[in-house]
C-alpha cells in the first residue's frame, strides 16, 4: 500500500502496526512550535524529503539545527517542529522530551531496543532523538520513556532551559550566528519555493495523453506570489475528483465536501463580489465535468460554515499537546471563547481580562504570533485565514495565554570599534553612526582592548534596525560587525555539567570547517558553537562569561588556536571560569600544537561525535605561553623590497615557535603567494607544495644571519655559529611535525617539556638543513635553553611567530614568559569508553 498524500509505503500485513503520522497531520502533533533554520539549497546524496518522503535528487534545503531535509517545493508544507534550543518567553519549560526525527539514518544504524537494523539508504526509515542520538524503529520508539537526558554528551551540552534569547524580529540564521552569506543565498530562493521548482518536479506525472495537468492555488496569498501546485487528473473528471486531488497536493486531510474549486481570473483578488459570484456559479453546477475547454488554473476554496469546532491550546501547560475543543458559531467572539474555555481548564474563578487568545502560524521558516482582539468574530477570522491560504489554516493554532508584562531584552555584540575608549565615548560613536535611542538601548559591557561593546536593547524593532545598520557602517575605515548573542542563565546549569564552547574557523582545512559547524550544531546546542569569521572569539567568551565551569574546543590551524588563546588571555579577568581547558581539532597546514597534544596531524573526516567523546575524556595539561616585545629603533625602509613598516613598540604572543631568518623568509613568501591567489590554498597537499617551491628558490642563500643579530639568554651573551635561521621553540614539533631539538640526551640542557618555563633555541644552516630536519635525518644546531631572551637586530630581518611572518626593522626583540600557564587538553591514549545513552 502507498499513501496518496505523503507516499508512505507499507505491506498489507504491516498496516495495523504503522505508527508513522502522515505529513497532513504533522502540524497537529507539534509539541512546541519552533521554526527551522534553513541555509541555502544544496545537493544531499542519499537523503529523503521529510514531507513527501521522496529522494532528494534536485537541490534541497536542510535545517542547520536539526536533521530535517526537504525539497524546495515541499518547504512550505514542513511544519515548525525544530529543536527548542533556548527559552524565548513562549511555552518555556525545564523538562525536555526526546525530539524524534524520522529517517536519513545510515544503513548500519541499529535500534536501541530490539538491536536490529533500523536505518536504510532506500527509504525514510527509523527514528532518532536529535538531543541524545538514541536510535529506534518506528514501532519501538513509542515505548521509550519520554524524558530525554541528552545521552553520552550530557555533560558537554548547554541545556536549552539555561539559554534565553528573545528573537521575534530576527531570522533563525541571525539567532544562531550563521554566516550572512548563507542568509542572502537562501533569500534569493524564497520565490522559487512553490512555483518554478514545484512545476518541474510534478509535471512529469501528466505525460499520459488521457490526463491533463492543472495549476492549483490554495488562496489569495498563493495567487499574489504565483505559488501553485500541479495536479494530474483525467481529461473527463468530476469536480469531487479534482477537489480531492487538489487537497492531496496541499497535504490536507479534510472532507472534500467542505471545499470547492473556483475559476482563476485576474479579478479574483479585487472584489469579494467577484468571489461570491464565482462561488455561486460553482454551487449551481456541482455535478459538471472537466473538459478540454476548462481553464488550466483553479483556486481551491473552503465553503463557508455557520459553525465549527476549534481547538484551544493552554499556553501554561509545560508539557504535552493537550487542548480543549469547543464549538463556535457566527456570534462567537474571542471574549466568549475565552469565557467558555477557562472553566474547561479549571480556571473558572479567574478574571477574563487576565487572558488573551493568540493566533500562532507554525510556518517552517518562522512562527508568527498575533494577539486577537476580544471583540473579533472567530468564524470571520477562520474565513480570512482560509481565504488567504488553506495550507496556512492547517498550520494555525489558537493558544489561550495569561496576560503578563513581557520583558524584552535583546543582547547585541558590536565589534570593530576603535579600541581603548571610555564607555561614554563608545556611546557617543553609536549615537553618531547608528542614531541609537538611549531610552531603549544601554551599553551593558565594554571590551576596550578589543574595541567592542554589548548593547542591551528593550525594543525588538530598535534591535533589528541597529543590527541591519551595523553591517553597512564603517568607523575609522574599519567595518563594524554585529552578533545576536543569547543570555546563559548560569544558576540553572546542573552541577556536573561542563558545557563545551566550540570555535570553528570555516576557512581552515579546505572548507572542512563548514561541515564541522553543521555537525557540532546538530550534536550540541547551536548556541555553544561559534563561527570565528563572524565577530571572532569574543562573542563566545562573553556568552559563557557567567558559566562556572566550561571547556573550549578550537577547530582550526595553529594560527586560529593562537587567536583564541590570545583572546582568552585578554578577557580572562572577566570570566567566572578564568582558566578553561582548551582542546584542538587541527584544520590547518602544520598543526604542530595539535600533534603534540595527540589530536593528530590534521582532520581527515573523523566522526564528529567521536571527537566530542575524545574531548570529554581528554587529560588536562599545562602549557607555557610567551610574550614577544618588538622594539624597532628605526623605521624599516618604506615600501622597497616589499618591506612593511612596523609600529614600534609591538607585543605579540607565542605558543609554538618564533623564527628569524630563512624559516621566516619562507613563511613570508608563502604568505604573499596565498594573498595573491587565496582560492588555490584550500588543501594541505597544495600548501606544502608551495612551501617546497619557495624553499628551492632560496637554496643558494649564504650563511650570514649570525653577523646580523646578537643573542642574549638569561642576561648572558651567546656566541652564534654560522647559521641562516634562528628558531625559538616551545613545543617539540616544528614545521608540520619535525623534531628540531632532537631526542639525543645532552648534559648541557634539560629535557624539553611544554610546561617547564623554558624555551629551546635552535639554529639551521639553510634550506637543505631544514629539509633534512623535516625528513627526520638531522636535528637543528642546539644553541641555548632559557626563560628570558634579548635579540638585537642589526638590519631588517624576516620574523615569524606561530606561522605569521613580517619584516622586522633593526632594534630589539625581547622574549619572556607570559603570565600564567594555559590549560590545554591532551587526547587520552585509552580507548573511548562505551556508555549507554
Amino acid at each position: 500500500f502507498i499513501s496518496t498524500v505523503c507516499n508512505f509505503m507499507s505491506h498489507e500485513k504491516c498496516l495495523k502496526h504503522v505508527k508513522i503520522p502522515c505529513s497532513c497531520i504533522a502540524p497537529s502533533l507539534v509539541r512546541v512550535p519552533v521554526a527551522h533554520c534553513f541555509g541555502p539549497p544544496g545537493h544531499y546524496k542519499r537523503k529523503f524529503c521529510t514531507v513527501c518522503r521522496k529522494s532528494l535528487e534536485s537541490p534541497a534545503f536542510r535545517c542547520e539545527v536539526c536533521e530535517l531535509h526537504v525539497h524546495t517545493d515541499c518547504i512550505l508544507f514542513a511544519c515548525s517542529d525544530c529543536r527548542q534550543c533556548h527559552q524565548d518567553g513562549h511555552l518555556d519549560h525545564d523538562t525536555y522530551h526526546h525530539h524524534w526525527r524520522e529517517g536519513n539514518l545510515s544503513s548500519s544504524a541499529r535500534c536501541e531496543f530490539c538491536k536490529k537494523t533500523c536505518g536504510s539508504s532506500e527509504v525514510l526509515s527509523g527514528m532518532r532523538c536529535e538531543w541524545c542520538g538514541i536510535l529506534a524503529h518506528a514501532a519501538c520508539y513509542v515505548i521509550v520513556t519520554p524524558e530525554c537526558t541528552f545521552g553520552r554528551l550530557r555533560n558537554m551540552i548547554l541545556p536549552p532551559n539555561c539559554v534565553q534569547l528573545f528573537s521575534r524580529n530576527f531570522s533563525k540564521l541571525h539567532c544562531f550566528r550563521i554566516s550572512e552569506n548563507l542568509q542572502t543565498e537562501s533569500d534569493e530562493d524564497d520565490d522559487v519555493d512553490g512555483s518554478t521548482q514545484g512545476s518541474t518536479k510534478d509535471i512529469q506525472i501528466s505525460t499520459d495523453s488521457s490526463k491533463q495537468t492543472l495549476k492549483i492555488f490554495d488562496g489569495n496569498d498563493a495567487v499574489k506570489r504565483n505559488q501553485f501546485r500541479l495536479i494530474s487528473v483525467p481529461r473527463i473528471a468530476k469536480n469531487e475528483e479534482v477537489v480531492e486531488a487538489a487537497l492531496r497536493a496541499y497535504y490536507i486531510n479534510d472532507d472534500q465536501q467542505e471545499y470547492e474549486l473556483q475559476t482563476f481570473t485576474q479579478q479574483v483578488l479585487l472584489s469579494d463580489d467577484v468571489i461570491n459570484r464565482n462561488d455561486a456559479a460553482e454551487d449551481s453546477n456541482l455535478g459538471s465535468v472537466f473538459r478540454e475547454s476548462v481553464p488550466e488554473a483553479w483556486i481551491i476554496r473552503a465553503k463557508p460554515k455557520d459553525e465549527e469546532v476549534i481547538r484551544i491550546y493552554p499556553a501554561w501547560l509545560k508539557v504535552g499537546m493537550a487542548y480543549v475543543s469547543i464549538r463556535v458559531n457566527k456570534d462567537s467572539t474571542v471574549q466568549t471563547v475565552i469565557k467558555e474555555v477557562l472553566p474547561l481548564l479549571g480556571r473558572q474563578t479567574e478574571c477574563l481580562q487576565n487572558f488573551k487568545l493568540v493566533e500562532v502560524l507554525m510556518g517552517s521558516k518562522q512562527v508568527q504570533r498575533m494577539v486577537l482582539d476580544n471583540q473579533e468574530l472567530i468564524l470571520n477570522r477562520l474565513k480570512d485565514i482560509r481565504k488567504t491560504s488553506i495550507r496556512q489554516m492547517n498550520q494555525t493554532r489558537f493558544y489561550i495565554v495569561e496576560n503578563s508584562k513581557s520583558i524584552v531584552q535583546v543582547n547585541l555584540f558590536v565589534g570593530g570599534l576603535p579600541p581603548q575608549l571610555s564607555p561614554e565615548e563608545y556611546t557617543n560613536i553609536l549615537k553618531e553612526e547608528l542614531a541609537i535611542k538611549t531610552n531603549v538601548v544601554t551599553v551593558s559591557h565594554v571590551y576596550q582592548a578589543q574595541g567592542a561593546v554589548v548593547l542591551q536593547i528593550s525594543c525588538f524593532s530598535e534591535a533589528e534596525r541597529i543590527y541591519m545598520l551595523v553591517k553597512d557602517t564603517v568607523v575609522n575605515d574599519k567595518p563594524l560587525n554585529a552578533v545576536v548573542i543569547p543570555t546563559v542563565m548560569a544558576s540553572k546549569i546542573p552541577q556536573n555539567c561542563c558545557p563545551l564552547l566550540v570555535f570553528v574557523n570555516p576557512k581552515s582545512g579546505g572548507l572542512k570547517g563548514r561541515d564541522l559547524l553543521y555537525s557540532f550544531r546538530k550534536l550540541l546546542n547551536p548556541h555553544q558553537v561559534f563561527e570565528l569569521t563572524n565577530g571572532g572569539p569574543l562573542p563566545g567568551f562573553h556568552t559563557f562569561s557567567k558559566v562556572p565551569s566550561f571547556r573550549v574546543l578550537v577547530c582550526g590551524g595553529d594560527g586560529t588556536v593562537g587567536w583564541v588563546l590570545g583572546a582568552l588571555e585578554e578577557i580572562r579577568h572577566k570570566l567566572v571560569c578564568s582558566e578553561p581547558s582548551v582542546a584542538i581539532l587541527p584544520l590547518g597546514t602544520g598543526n604542530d600544537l595539535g600533534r603534540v597534544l595527540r589530536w593528530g596531524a590534521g582532520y581527515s573526516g573523523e566522526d564528529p561525535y567521536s571527537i566530542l567523546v575524545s574531548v570529554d575524556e581528554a587529560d588536562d595539561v599545562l602549557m607555557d605561553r610567551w610574550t614577544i616585545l618588538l622594539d624597532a629603533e628605526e623605521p624599516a625602509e618604506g615600501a622597497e623590497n616589499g618591506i612593511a613598516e612596523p609600529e614600534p613598540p609591538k607585543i605579540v604572543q607565542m605558543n609554538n615557535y618564533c623564527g628569524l631568518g630563512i624559516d621566516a623568509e619562507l613563511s613570508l613568501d608563502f604568505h604573499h603567494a596565498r594573498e595573491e591567489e587565496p582560492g588555490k590554498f584550500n588543501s594541505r597537499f597544495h600548501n606544502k607544495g608551495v612551501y617546497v617551491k619557495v624553499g628551492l628558490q632560496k637554496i643558494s642563500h649564504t650563511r650570514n644571519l649570525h653577523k646580523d643579530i646578537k643573542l642574549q639568554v638569561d642576561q648572558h651573551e651567546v656566541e652564534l655559529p654560522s647559521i641562516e635561521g634562528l628558531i625559538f621553540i616551545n613545543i617539540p614539533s616544528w614545521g608540520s611535525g619535525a623534531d628540531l631539538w632532537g631526542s639525543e640526551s645532552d648534559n648541557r640542557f634539560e629535557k624539553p617539556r611544554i610546561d617547564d618555563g623554558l624555551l629551546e633555541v635552535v639554529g639551521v644552516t639553510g634550506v637543505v638543513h631544514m629539509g633534512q630536519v623535516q625528513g627526520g635525518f638531522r636535528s637543528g644546531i642546539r644553541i641555548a635553553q632559557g626563560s628570558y631572551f634579548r635579540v638585537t637586530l642589526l638590519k631588517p630581518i624576516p620574523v615569524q611567530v606561530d606561522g605569521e611572518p613580517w619584516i622586522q626593522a633593526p632594534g630589539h626583540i625581547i622574549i619572556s614568559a607570559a603570565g600564567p600557564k594555559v590549560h590545554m587538553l591532551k587526547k587520552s591514549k585509552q580507548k573511548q569508553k562505551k556508555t549507554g545513552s
Side-chain angles (χ1 to χ4, degrees), residues 238-379:
K238 290 191 174 180
N239 271 9
E240 290 83 353
E241 293 176 41
V242 183
V243 169
E244 191 178 348
L247 289 174
R248 281 202 303 266
Y250 279 96
Y251 296 92
I252 291 167
N253 197 34
D254 296 348
D255 184 357
Q256 46 108 356
Q257 297 295 332
E258 297 175 3
Y259 295 85
E260 59 195 5
L261 285 166
Q262 181 186 95
T263 310
F264 171 66
T265 60
Q266 292 304 315
Q267 293 81 24
V268 85
L269 297 174
L270 302 180
S271 158
D272 278 340
D273 294 335
V274 175
I275 291 173
N276 291 338
R277 279 205 301 277
N278 283 337
D279 287 349
E282 288 293 337
D283 288 342
S284 63
N285 198 14
L286 273 177
S288 70
V289 293
F290 282 82
R291 301 192 182 278
E292 288 192 20
S293 59
V294 299
E296 66 163 28
W298 297 80
I299 301 176
I300 187 163
R301 298 281 192 193
K303 293 178 182 176
K305 299 177 183 178
D306 290 332
E307 62 172 30
E308 61 179 294
V309 175
I310 63 168
R311 294 174 175 180
I312 306 292
Y313 293 76
W316 55 81
L317 281 188
K318 299 301 181 189
V319 290
M321 297 168 293
Y323 58 84
V324 293
S325 298
I326 63 165
R327 188 173 293 277
V328 294
N329 55 38
K330 59 181 184 298
D331 298 322
S332 301
T333 64
V334 168
Q335 193 162 17
T336 59
V337 167
I338 294 174
K339 188 175 181 180
E340 192 176 338
V341 165
L342 285 177
L344 299 175
L345 297 169
R347 310 288 285 260
Q348 58 270 28
T349 58
E350 302 193 34
C351 178
L352 290 182
Q353 277 66 44
N354 293 341
F355 296 89
K356 58 189 175 187
L357 199 63
V358 179
E359 177 190 311
V360 178
L361 172 59
M362 305 184 296
S364 60
K365 291 183 178 181
Q366 192 178 11
V367 175
Q368 299 174 15
R369 293 177 172 85
M370 184 174 77
V371 179
L372 300 180
D373 184 81
N374 276 347
Q375 302 311 314
E376 185 164 6
L377 293 170
I378 286 290
L379 277 187

Side-chain angles (χ1 to χ4, degrees), residues 729-744:
I729 50 177
N730 184 42
I731 61 172
S733 177
W734 166 86
S736 303
D739 185 1
L740 194 57
W741 183 258
S743 54
E744 302 87 18

Side-chain angles (χ1 to χ4, degrees), residues 88 90 165-171 175 366-369 406 408 410 459-461 464:
D88 61 357
H90 301 286
L165 179 65
F166 298 99
S167 56
R168 190 182 70 184
N169 288 32
F170 291 101
S171 79
C175 295
Q366 192 178 11
V367 175
Q368 299 174 15
R369 293 177 172 85
S406 57
V408 176
V410 181
C459 170
F460 279 125
S461 56
E464 187 181 31

Side-chain angles (χ1 to χ4, degrees), residues 703-706 709 720-726 763-765 781 783:
R703 304 176 189 174
N704 55 9
L705 179 71
H706 58 285
I709 63 174
L720 295 173
S722 177
I723 54 172
E724 201 180 329
L726 186 70
V764 289
T765 59
I781 301 167
I783 294 173

Side-chain angles (χ1 to χ4, degrees), residues 212-228:
Q212 62 178 332
T213 302
L214 303 175
K215 287 181 186 177
I216 303 292
F217 296 92
D218 77 323
N220 298 354
D221 187 59
V223 173
K224 284 177 185 173
R225 296 172 181 268
N226 194 31
Q227 289 179 342
F228 54 83

